[in-house]
Amino acid sequence: MIKHVVCYKFKDSSAENVRRAAEALCSMRGRVPEALSVEVGADFLSSARSYDLVLCVALENREALESYQNNEFHCRSVKPVMHELTEKSVSVDFECGEF
């Protein structure tokens, strides 16, 4: 199993923007078949090193990750919202149980 984790820092981290982004990310549930699970969480600490929102997606394997990255719904409905709101992001993709 692969985990795809992305942390987002927004240009404007208002509650409305966090909600809008979370809704966009959660909308992948049931619409992106490669995603076995989609978890979204908002930061509550607001420390200097915090990001505003995190996405965690579970996928079957590396091929599913590649397919997910190119999924039509993901590319046309989710990515545009995230690109509009995001100042920067960081990600990590890893195989579960590797260590």
Side-chain angles (χ1 to χ4, degrees), residues 14-32:
S14 67
E16 173 61 24
N17 283 345
V18 171
R19 182 198 58 75
R20 185 170 164 226
E23 286 177 357
L25 295 171
C26 289
S27 74
M28 291 190 290
R29 294 178 181 144
R31 291 188 174 103
V32 179

Side-chain angles (χ1 to χ4, degrees), residues 62-77:
R62 290 179 185 206
E63 292 78 21
L65 174 62
E66 179 69 26
S67 182
Y68 161 83
Q69 293 291 0
N70 296 300
N71 175 278
E72 185 175 351
F73 182 83
H74 180 221
C75 291
R76 291 186 185 222
S77 298

Side-chain angles (χ1 to χ4, degrees), residues 1-2 32-38 57-61:
M1 179 175 294
I2 300 290
V32 179
E34 299 86 355
L36 301 176
S37 68
V38 175
V57 178
L59 305 120
E60 187 174 339
N61 52 38

Side-chain angles (χ1 to χ4, degrees), residues 9 43-52:
K9 174 83 73 181
D43 177 65
F44 61 85
L45 210 60
S46 298
S47 74
R49 57 183 253 176
S50 292
Y51 276 64
D52 299 307

